[in-house]
Amino acid sequence: MTFTKMQGCGNDYIYFDCTSVDFPGGAQGEREAAIKLSDRHFGIGGDGIIIIKKGQSADFEMVMYNADGSRSQMCGNGIRCVGKYVYDAGYTKGREFTVESMGAVKYLKVIKGEPGDKETWLSVDMGSPILQAEKIPVAAQGDKVIMHPLTVEGKEYKITCVSMGNPHAVVFIDKKPAEFPVCELGPFFENNAFFPERTNTEFAYVEDRRTIWMRVWERGTGETLACGTGTCATVVAAILNGFVDAGEKITVHLVGGDLQIEWSGNEADSVFMTGPAKNVFTGEVEL
């Protein structure tokens, strides 16, 4: 079966075009392929697989699996790559279209690049952030979870929790996260009982009111070079805590590149994410 390897800020997935064919083996085949093909030593290598289908409530559908075979509701970097793929393939006549994932519809716009270019820049309306504890979900009393104390491996951290279609716990630290023990602590945050559906965890340093540095531990995958929804959640959390300015484009430096995020600060308003999507290579794999 033909696949395309793509990446957004280093967040790399294996993409399958199932707009006119079914993926072999149905959902079970998809899960097994995610585990097998994501392996960077014995497979193609990636943070998971994403299957592109025709949409029912949108122009296209994105079916995403993490490297461990678990389904994921949303991936900001992944959805930009889906946008680039369908734009390059000529599946959409315009530069604006919609993509759904597990019932959530996102609005995409190509802002730089022509079909066939190696890199394309897209802006995505990621929808409004979910801040209610029970909807994120987190095991907390009350409405919002802002600078909530959480003990992990004997140390107390302050977390701010946001869902962008998937749960995030944002931890603000006092220096750039290059040397922060993300890989050591990430699994303990992910599997903490405070998060009934596990969580993605962002470790973020606010450099100034327009700039954030961030590393991320993604549930079901581990540390990745970038996370689009996590970047959105981090900027939302920073605005909620008064660290950066609402209504401004905030640049977030990730290990794999930069994303720009904008949110008004109004809970009903959408978060907008802008960043690149790139082709890596195309090949054939036996499933």
Side-chain angles (χ1 to χ4, degrees):
M1 191 169 185
T2 301
F3 69 88
T4 301
K5 179 78 177 289
M6 304 179 76
Q7 59 94 359
C9 293
N11 202 190
D12 60 336
Y13 288 87
I14 305 155
Y15 294 78
F16 291 94
D17 184 345
C18 288
T19 55
S20 59
V21 296
D22 292 330
F23 196 91
Q28 182 62 28
E30 294 170 354
R31 285 190 291 271
E32 291 174 356
I35 297 169
K36 176 182 176 181
L37 299 180
S38 298
D39 191 293
R40 297 186 185 276
H41 299 286
F42 299 102
I44 297 167
D47 293 326
I49 70 170
I50 291 178
I51 300 161
I52 303 169
K53 301 181 179 182
K54 290 182 179 178
Q56 297 184 12
S57 302
D59 297 318
F60 305 96
E61 181 184 8
M62 174 176 92
V63 179
M64 176 189 170
Y65 289 88
N66 296 312
D68 67 352
S70 61
R71 277 292 302 272
S72 183
Q73 297 99 322
M74 180 51 59
C75 173
N77 293 310
I79 200 171
R80 290 200 316 279
C81 289
V82 169
K84 175 174 174 53
Y85 184 94
V86 300
Y87 180 65
D88 286 352
Y91 292 164
T92 176
K93 294 180 180 178
R95 298 172 75 91
E96 297 184 36
F97 45 90
T98 55
V99 178
E100 63 179 305
S101 177
M102 295 186 76
V105 177
K106 306 301 180 188
Y107 297 82
L108 285 73
K109 181 178 182 180
V110 176
I111 60 173
K112 186 170 70 173
E114 298 301 327
D117 288 354
K118 184 175 181 180
E119 180 178 271
T120 303
W121 278 69
L122 300 97
S123 177
V124 186
D125 177 344
M126 294 294 290
S128 56
I130 298 168
L131 304 176
Q132 292 72 32
E134 65 178 0
K135 293 181 179 180
I136 293 174
V138 292
Q141 299 296 321
D143 186 21
K144 298 181 180 65
V145 180
I146 300 176
M147 286 298 177
H148 180 88
L150 182 73
T151 299
V152 175
E153 288 296 275
K155 182 176 178 179
E156 184 179 282
Y157 296 87
K158 297 293 180 64
I159 60 171
T160 298
C161 296
V162 180
S163 173
M164 291 301 306
N166 51 358
H168 295 272
V170 182
V171 181
F172 291 101
I173 57 180
D174 58 7
K175 60 182 179 180
K176 292 179 181 179
E179 297 180 2
F180 193 84
V182 172
C183 293
E184 289 80 3
L185 291 174
F188 294 102
F189 276 92
E190 175 184 354
N191 297 292
N192 192 287
F194 190 70
F195 309 107
E197 295 181 7
R198 299 186 295 167
T199 192
N200 304 284
T201 311
E202 288 74 37
F203 301 93
Y205 168 73
V206 180
E207 182 175 71
D208 56 43
R209 301 197 69 82
R210 300 286 189 279
T211 312
I212 297 174
W213 296 77
M214 190 192 95
R215 286 173 65 192
V216 58
W217 178 271
E218 294 196 53
R219 61 175 181 173
T221 299
E223 183 178 12
T224 59
L225 300 184
C227 175
T229 55
T231 307
C232 292
T234 295
V235 171
V236 168
I239 290 172
L240 292 174
N241 283 289
F243 299 151
V244 300
D245 296 322
E248 300 290 343
K249 286 187 177 180
I250 308 301
T251 297
V252 182
H253 298 300
L254 305 149
V255 177
D258 296 347
L259 291 175
Q260 290 187 328
I261 311 296
E262 186 174 356
W263 183 52
S264 70
N266 186 326
E267 289 183 38
D269 289 347
S270 292
V271 181
F272 290 88
M273 172 190 61
T274 301
K278 290 185 179 182
N279 287 330
V280 181
F281 62 88
T282 298
E284 296 280 336
V285 65
E286 199 171 297
L287 296 173

